Amino acid sequence: IVNSIFQARLYSPDEILHVRDITDSSDDIMSVYAYPWDDLSEFLLGQRSGEVSLWCSGTGSGKSTILREVAHHHLLEGRSVGMIMLEESPEETRDDMISLIVNKPVRAIRATKIMNSLRKKMGKDPINIEFFDDLSQEEYSSARRALESTNLYIYDHLGNSAMTNIMARMEYMAVSL
Protein backbone atom coordinates (compact mmCIF):
# COMPACT_ATOMS: atom_id res chain seq x y z
CA ILE A 1 0.00 0.00 0.00
CA VAL A 2 2.82 2.40 0.86
CA ASN A 3 4.57 1.70 -2.47
CA SER A 4 1.32 2.28 -4.33
CA ILE A 5 0.94 5.65 -2.68
CA PHE A 6 4.52 6.83 -3.35
CA GLN A 7 4.74 5.38 -6.86
CA ALA A 8 1.29 6.51 -7.96
CA ARG A 9 1.10 8.32 -11.28
CA LEU A 10 -1.08 11.30 -11.84
CA TYR A 11 -4.36 10.17 -13.38
CA SER A 12 -5.07 11.45 -16.88
CA PRO A 13 -7.78 10.17 -19.23
CA ASP A 14 -6.43 8.70 -22.48
CA GLU A 15 -7.90 11.53 -24.51
CA ILE A 16 -5.93 14.24 -22.67
CA LEU A 17 -2.45 14.67 -24.14
CA HIS A 18 0.40 16.92 -23.18
CA VAL A 19 1.71 18.71 -26.24
CA ARG A 20 5.01 16.73 -26.07
CA ASP A 21 3.03 13.48 -26.39
CA ILE A 22 1.51 14.46 -29.73
CA THR A 23 3.27 12.68 -32.55
CA ASP A 24 2.92 13.17 -36.26
CA SER A 25 1.45 10.11 -37.88
CA SER A 26 1.40 9.37 -41.59
CA ASP A 27 -2.29 8.47 -41.12
CA ASP A 28 -3.05 12.04 -40.05
CA ILE A 29 -1.87 13.76 -43.23
CA MET A 30 -4.56 16.22 -44.24
CA SER A 31 -6.04 16.12 -47.72
CA VAL A 32 -7.31 19.35 -49.22
CA TYR A 33 -9.82 19.49 -52.06
CA ALA A 34 -10.89 22.45 -54.15
CA TYR A 35 -14.48 23.62 -54.33
CA PRO A 36 -16.04 23.90 -57.78
CA TRP A 37 -15.57 27.68 -57.45
CA ASP A 38 -12.10 29.21 -57.19
CA ASP A 39 -13.17 32.14 -55.00
CA LEU A 40 -14.68 29.81 -52.39
CA SER A 41 -11.60 27.56 -52.47
CA GLU A 42 -9.37 30.57 -51.88
CA PHE A 43 -11.57 32.07 -49.16
CA LEU A 44 -12.02 28.81 -47.21
CA LEU A 45 -8.62 27.34 -48.17
CA GLY A 46 -10.43 24.41 -49.75
CA GLN A 47 -12.19 21.49 -48.13
CA ARG A 48 -9.93 19.79 -45.60
CA SER A 49 -10.20 16.13 -44.67
CA GLY A 50 -11.15 15.39 -41.10
CA GLU A 51 -13.16 18.59 -40.82
CA VAL A 52 -16.89 19.20 -40.98
CA SER A 53 -18.24 22.36 -42.54
CA LEU A 54 -21.62 23.59 -41.37
CA TRP A 55 -23.67 25.37 -44.03
CA CYS A 56 -26.53 27.35 -42.57
CA SER A 57 -28.85 30.00 -43.91
CA GLY A 58 -32.52 30.79 -44.25
CA THR A 59 -35.04 28.52 -45.92
CA GLY A 60 -34.86 28.55 -49.71
CA SER A 61 -31.52 30.35 -49.88
CA GLY A 62 -29.74 27.59 -51.81
CA LYS A 63 -27.82 25.51 -49.25
CA SER A 64 -28.93 22.18 -50.70
CA THR A 65 -28.26 23.40 -54.23
CA ILE A 66 -24.71 24.41 -53.35
CA LEU A 67 -24.04 21.15 -51.52
CA ARG A 68 -25.35 19.10 -54.44
CA GLU A 69 -22.95 21.02 -56.70
CA VAL A 70 -20.09 20.27 -54.30
CA ALA A 71 -21.07 16.57 -54.17
CA HIS A 72 -21.30 16.45 -57.99
CA HIS A 73 -17.85 18.04 -58.24
CA HIS A 74 -16.37 15.35 -55.97
CA LEU A 75 -18.06 12.60 -57.97
CA LEU A 76 -16.61 14.03 -61.21
CA GLU A 77 -13.19 13.92 -59.54
CA GLY A 78 -13.73 10.19 -58.80
CA ARG A 79 -14.22 10.53 -55.05
CA SER A 80 -16.83 8.79 -52.92
CA VAL A 81 -19.61 10.98 -51.56
CA GLY A 82 -22.09 10.35 -48.76
CA MET A 83 -25.13 12.60 -48.61
CA ILE A 84 -27.45 13.01 -45.63
CA MET A 85 -30.30 15.18 -46.86
CA LEU A 86 -32.90 15.18 -44.08
CA GLU A 87 -35.40 17.46 -45.81
CA GLU A 88 -35.86 15.33 -48.93
CA SER A 89 -36.26 11.72 -49.93
CA PRO A 90 -33.44 9.70 -51.52
CA GLU A 91 -35.41 9.77 -54.78
CA GLU A 92 -35.53 13.57 -54.70
CA THR A 93 -31.80 13.74 -53.98
CA ARG A 94 -31.09 11.31 -56.83
CA ASP A 95 -33.22 13.28 -59.27
CA ASP A 96 -31.62 16.56 -58.21
CA MET A 97 -28.18 15.03 -58.80
CA ILE A 98 -29.40 13.85 -62.24
CA SER A 99 -30.49 17.46 -62.87
CA LEU A 100 -26.84 18.48 -62.58
CA ILE A 101 -25.86 15.90 -65.20
CA VAL A 102 -28.53 16.86 -67.76
CA ASN A 103 -28.54 20.55 -66.78
CA LYS A 104 -32.33 20.54 -66.52
CA PRO A 105 -34.70 20.74 -63.51
CA VAL A 106 -35.71 17.06 -63.53
CA ARG A 107 -38.19 17.15 -60.65
CA ALA A 108 -39.94 20.26 -61.96
CA ILE A 109 -40.16 18.81 -65.47
CA ARG A 110 -41.56 15.50 -64.22
CA ALA A 111 -44.04 17.24 -61.90
CA THR A 112 -45.19 19.50 -64.73
CA LYS A 113 -45.76 16.50 -67.02
CA ILE A 114 -47.80 14.74 -64.33
CA MET A 115 -49.79 17.88 -63.56
CA ASN A 116 -50.48 18.56 -67.23
CA SER A 117 -51.69 14.98 -67.68
CA LEU A 118 -54.06 15.49 -64.76
CA ARG A 119 -55.22 18.86 -66.12
CA LYS A 120 -55.91 17.27 -69.51
CA LYS A 121 -58.16 14.67 -67.83
CA MET A 122 -59.94 17.54 -66.07
CA GLY A 123 -60.48 19.35 -69.37
CA LYS A 124 -58.15 22.21 -68.46
CA ASP A 125 -55.35 23.83 -70.43
CA PRO A 126 -51.82 22.65 -69.63
CA ILE A 127 -49.54 24.67 -67.40
CA ASN A 128 -46.97 26.53 -69.45
CA ILE A 129 -43.97 27.09 -67.22
CA GLU A 130 -41.13 29.14 -68.69
CA PHE A 131 -38.34 26.85 -67.41
CA PHE A 132 -40.06 23.78 -68.82
CA ASP A 133 -37.69 21.93 -71.10
CA ASP A 134 -38.49 18.51 -72.45
CA LEU A 135 -36.62 15.66 -70.86
CA SER A 136 -36.69 12.39 -72.77
CA GLN A 137 -36.81 9.08 -70.94
CA GLU A 138 -33.55 8.07 -72.66
CA GLU A 139 -31.84 11.26 -71.49
CA TYR A 140 -33.03 10.64 -67.94
CA SER A 141 -32.08 6.94 -68.04
CA SER A 142 -28.63 7.70 -69.44
CA ALA A 143 -27.96 10.28 -66.74
CA ARG A 144 -29.25 7.90 -64.07
CA ARG A 145 -26.88 5.16 -65.29
CA ALA A 146 -24.02 7.67 -65.19
CA LEU A 147 -24.89 8.63 -61.62
CA GLU A 148 -25.25 4.98 -60.59
CA SER A 149 -21.72 4.30 -61.86
CA THR A 150 -20.31 6.73 -59.26
CA ASN A 151 -19.61 6.16 -55.58
CA LEU A 152 -22.60 8.16 -54.35
CA TYR A 153 -24.29 6.99 -51.16
CA ILE A 154 -27.52 8.59 -49.94
CA TYR A 155 -28.89 8.17 -46.42
CA ASP A 156 -32.53 7.06 -46.34
CA HIS A 157 -33.63 8.41 -42.97
CA LEU A 158 -37.12 6.84 -43.19
CA GLY A 159 -38.30 9.60 -40.84
CA ASN A 160 -35.66 8.68 -38.25
CA SER A 161 -33.62 11.80 -37.61
CA ALA A 162 -32.33 10.93 -34.14
CA MET A 163 -28.86 12.41 -33.74
CA THR A 164 -27.26 9.15 -32.55
CA ASN A 165 -28.60 7.35 -35.63
CA ILE A 166 -27.38 10.09 -37.97
CA MET A 167 -23.95 10.16 -36.35
CA ALA A 168 -23.62 6.37 -36.64
CA ARG A 169 -24.55 6.47 -40.34
CA MET A 170 -22.19 9.38 -40.92
CA GLU A 171 -19.34 7.42 -39.30
CA TYR A 172 -20.18 4.35 -41.39
CA MET A 173 -20.10 6.40 -44.60
CA ALA A 174 -16.82 8.09 -43.66
CA VAL A 175 -15.03 4.93 -42.56
CA SER A 176 -16.49 2.13 -44.65
CA LEU A 177 -17.62 3.77 -47.87
Side-chain angles (χ1 to χ4, degrees):
I1 293 176
V2 172
N3 284 342
S4 294
I5 292 171
F6 288 106
Q7 294 176 2
R9 295 188 316 153
L10 184 61
Y11 168 75
S12 176
D14 293 339
E15 298 86 3
I16 308 298
L17 300 175
H18 186 276
V19 70
R20 74 175 162 264
D21 297 327
I22 299 172
T23 59
D24 291 329
S25 168
S26 60
D27 293 339
D28 293 335
I29 295 173
M30 178 186 349
S31 296
V32 179
Y33 305 104
Y35 283 97
W37 312 281
D38 287 340
D39 288 347
L40 192 60
S41 292
E42 291 172 19
F43 182 76
L44 296 177
L45 302 176
Q47 301 170 75
R48 294 171 299 282
S49 62
E51 295 183 10
V52 174
S53 298
L54 177 63
W55 293 73
C56 53
S57 184
T59 301
S61 60
K63 299 175 298 293
S64 296
T65 301
I66 288 173
L67 294 175
R68 277 190 285 275
E69 290 279 357
V70 170
H72 183 65
H73 174 73
H74 282 295
L75 292 171
L76 290 175
E77 295 291 321
R79 298 184 194 105
S80 295
V81 174
M83 297 180 75
I84 299 175
M85 309 293 277
L86 297 177
E87 295 182 356
E88 60 192 40
S89 70
E91 294 81 12
E92 290 170 323
T93 302
R94 179 203 57 215
D95 283 351
D96 286 344
M97 294 299 289
I98 290 172
S99 292
L100 295 175
I101 296 171
V102 298
N103 199 28
K104 295 178 182 181
V106 170
R107 285 199 292 153
I109 291 169
R110 295 175 93 189
T112 302
K113 286 181 179 181
I114 293 168
M115 178 54 77
N116 282 341
S117 175
L118 177 62
R119 289 179 65 85
K120 184 177 179 180
K121 289 178 186 175
M122 297 169 61
K124 296 184 178 184
D125 291 335
I127 298 171
N128 186 11
I129 300 177
E130 63 187 60
F131 68 79
F132 185 80
D133 188 3
D134 198 22
L135 175 68
S136 71
Q137 185 58 44
E138 178 50 39
E139 186 178 21
Y140 177 84
S141 296
S142 176
R144 183 170 172 170
R145 284 190 301 273
L147 185 63
E148 289 173 352
S149 72
T150 67
N151 287 323
L152 174 61
Y153 301 92
I154 300 172
Y155 174 58
D156 185 0
H157 52 83
L158 301 170
N160 183 357
S161 58
M163 189 54 66
T164 54
N165 191 49
I166 293 170
M167 295 299 290
R169 298 324 181 259
M170 193 182 315
E171 181 179 11
Y172 171 76
M173 286 180 173
V175 174
S176 299
L177 302 177

